[in-house]
Amino acid sequence: MSLPVIDEPSAITPGTLLTAYRLTFSQDPSLEQVMAWKSSLEFLQRARIRTPVIAEMPILGGERADFIFVDDDRGLVVEMKGWRHVRVLDDYMVEADGEIHVNPCYQVENYVNKLNYFHSSGIKFQGVVVTYNANPNLGCTTITDPAELSSLVDSLGPFRRDALDRVVNGKFHISDALVELLQRESSRILNQASKVLLSRGYGLTEEQAHLVHRVMEDLDNNVNRTYLVRGESGSGKTLVALTLLIEGLKRKRRTVLAYKNNRLLNTLRNVLKPLSGAIRFYSTAYQDGVGQPKFSEELDLVIFDEAQRMTRDVIRTSMTRGTVRVYFYDENQILIGEEEGTREAFLQFADPSRLVEVYLGGVFRQSREYLSWVKRLLWQSPERAKNLNLEFRVFDSILDMLSELSKKEDRALVCAFTESEGDLEDPNGLKNVRIGYPLQSGVELYKGIDLKGVVGKESITWLMDPKKDYPVYWTQRKDLSRCASVYGAQGFEAEYVGVVWGRDLVWRGRWEVNPGPITDDVGGKLSLKKIAMKDRERALALLRNRYYVMLTRGIRGVYVFAEDKDTGEFLRSLVGT
């Protein structure tokens, strides 16, 4: 037997469930989990449930639902708790038997909405909490009597094996980009943040909810604390950062969410107009960012998102801001030489007696299998793609890739800095702005290609204005005659993303830097262009990070066209396309 399907709930024992768990997930469950199974299985047996059940069903974000029952088009998610003493703390958390846990009402609704909005089964789910040792007031209906659960399961109707298979074999696909959700719900987001996000499947996982609760507890008690929160691409860092911002403002505490990325900052300001004043820069050219000397406001809570882009000077100064400071970072997303937001740098300036380190292990945007494959591709030994749970395709022709992207409703294009001439005046008359053409037909590689027949224009231009171009591009249907750079892609997502893999990172039996075509001079002396001419190893590290960012923007599909022929053939050999 293997999970997640249990054909005979009444006959299952904790021992057989333990064996099945090991077989399915290749790891041992915790002792706490095994003890919980003992009690929950006893409850199922007393309920005399004979219907096959899905146990330990993986849910988007790395969590697992206890039990799921289905008929043809309806499903029931059951979250079981054996606590004896429970006290509700806030919208997310409870104190149960002396420990802090996610409120099971929040937890089960989170599972239900993720299944309803993001799962492919097409089954409409509801949820219930079973508390078999107590009858606490959790804020939702709870079941304590086995007969009540039996009645609910019976109300689903006759069991259908094909429906159960649709759930077990189905996939999670995020179809509602977070930025788009915030744009639609911005009028309600401040006062009803937890309900709005939860209702659309963007509930917090247990590890995320624990973090929010602990930060808010420190904020409420005016405890001077620094949080270092590490999370890889798609781990929900921005969701947690936004939740912290909203929770801090709800408490009427002086709270800001700070970025360096002006494209992401202006997009969030645009879609969250009621909160726009609390979304700030942590560094600017005028030295008045939240992490710079000229900033003089008194703050209670400061949230630094994308903190890997900080310099050491900004890190040092930012450590003096606010009573509670939360840094979200991913060292694999450092893009230029001046960015020094590494764990080592944060530890250098943080007071160790006031420091808490957190790792967000959940994965939301893509599957963990895909992220692991991308990391092996860029940093380890590339392997043939298998079971990525995402459509990854490599195209011989830029036109073929663009043609496939044009068929998708939610799509975006991200280009490397290896074809932009950047020397043409902006036709709209914007001051101090140059327009480059990453895919211009006049450049030798693309000479004679009819882009107009696919994208409607003769060339593809960069997104430029962070206040006008980016908020429109990432919140509406993406115009394929526009292309985002890696700087304009960081922090964003789309269902399908096309990546123009430049001639800067090429495969020659191993990854090598090709400095000649690189045009990116962002950062001056510490730009990729300058570094590539002097320090190939450092440039290689930055390029790996850049392609990691670009290859992890797509939710359902990533399409690639490689400008270098050998690199394209190598990538195709890994995916069989």
Side-chain angles (χ1 to χ4, degrees), residues 386-494:
K386 295 179 181 178
N387 303 318
L388 299 183
N389 294 313
L390 175 146
E391 184 184 2
F392 187 89
R393 298 178 61 184
V394 182
F395 292 82
D396 291 324
S397 161
I398 183 67
L399 290 180
D400 289 344
M401 184 182 79
L402 292 170
S403 178
E404 285 301 306
L405 274 180
S406 69
K407 300 173 184 177
K408 308 300 182 183
E409 183 68 25
D410 183 29
R411 74 283 177 99
L413 187 62
V414 182
C415 301
F417 281 97
T418 54
E419 291 298 345
S420 171
E421 294 184 335
D423 58 358
L424 301 176
E425 291 289 347
D426 174 23
N428 297 315
L430 294 174
K431 295 180 179 179
N432 301 319
V433 173
R434 299 286 184 177
I435 290 280
Y437 289 80
L439 304 180
Q440 187 184 19
S441 58
V443 177
E444 188 64 30
L445 180 63
Y446 301 104
K447 200 168 186 179
I449 292 179
D450 180 19
L451 292 172
K452 188 173 183 179
V454 179
V455 302
K457 295 183 180 179
E458 294 180 353
S459 58
I460 294 176
T461 57
W462 294 112
L463 296 168
M464 296 298 291
D465 189 332
K467 291 186 178 181
K468 295 181 179 179
D469 289 353
Y470 281 90
V472 172
Y473 189 75
W474 289 105
T475 59
Q476 299 179 17
R477 182 178 171 88
K478 283 71 172 176
D479 179 359
L480 291 179
S481 69
R482 309 301 303 276
C483 184
S485 69
V486 66
Y487 305 111
Q490 199 170 39
F492 293 108
E493 61 191 20

Side-chain angles (χ1 to χ4, degrees), residues 550-564:
M550 291 192 286
L551 291 172
T552 55
R553 299 304 97 191
I555 296 170
R556 301 185 65 173
V558 176
Y559 298 164
V560 175
F561 167 71
E563 294 179 339
D564 177 72

Side-chain angles (χ1 to χ4, degrees), residues 32-44 46 66-67 78-84 86 97 129-136 138 142-146 148-149:
E32 180 185 21
Q33 178 67 77
V34 175
M35 296 304 294
W37 283 340
K38 182 177 183 298
S39 298
S40 60
L41 289 173
E42 287 176 356
F43 191 92
L44 286 185
R46 284 190 286 131
D66 287 342
F67 298 110
V78 181
E79 185 63 25
M80 306 192 85
K81 301 297 181 186
W83 302 325
R84 297 184 182 277
V86 185
D97 295 343
V129 176
V130 172
T131 54
Y132 44 80
N133 286 327
N135 189 18
L138 297 173
T142 59
I143 284 178
T144 59
D145 184 348
E148 292 182 82
L149 180 60

Side-chain angles (χ1 to χ4, degrees), residues 200-219:
R200 293 296 299 182
Y202 282 96
L204 301 176
T205 65
E206 182 156 6
E207 65 178 359
Q208 293 170 339
H210 269 285
L211 173 59
V212 170
H213 173 75
R214 186 164 183 182
V215 171
M216 290 301 114
E217 193 172 51
D218 283 341
L219 182 63

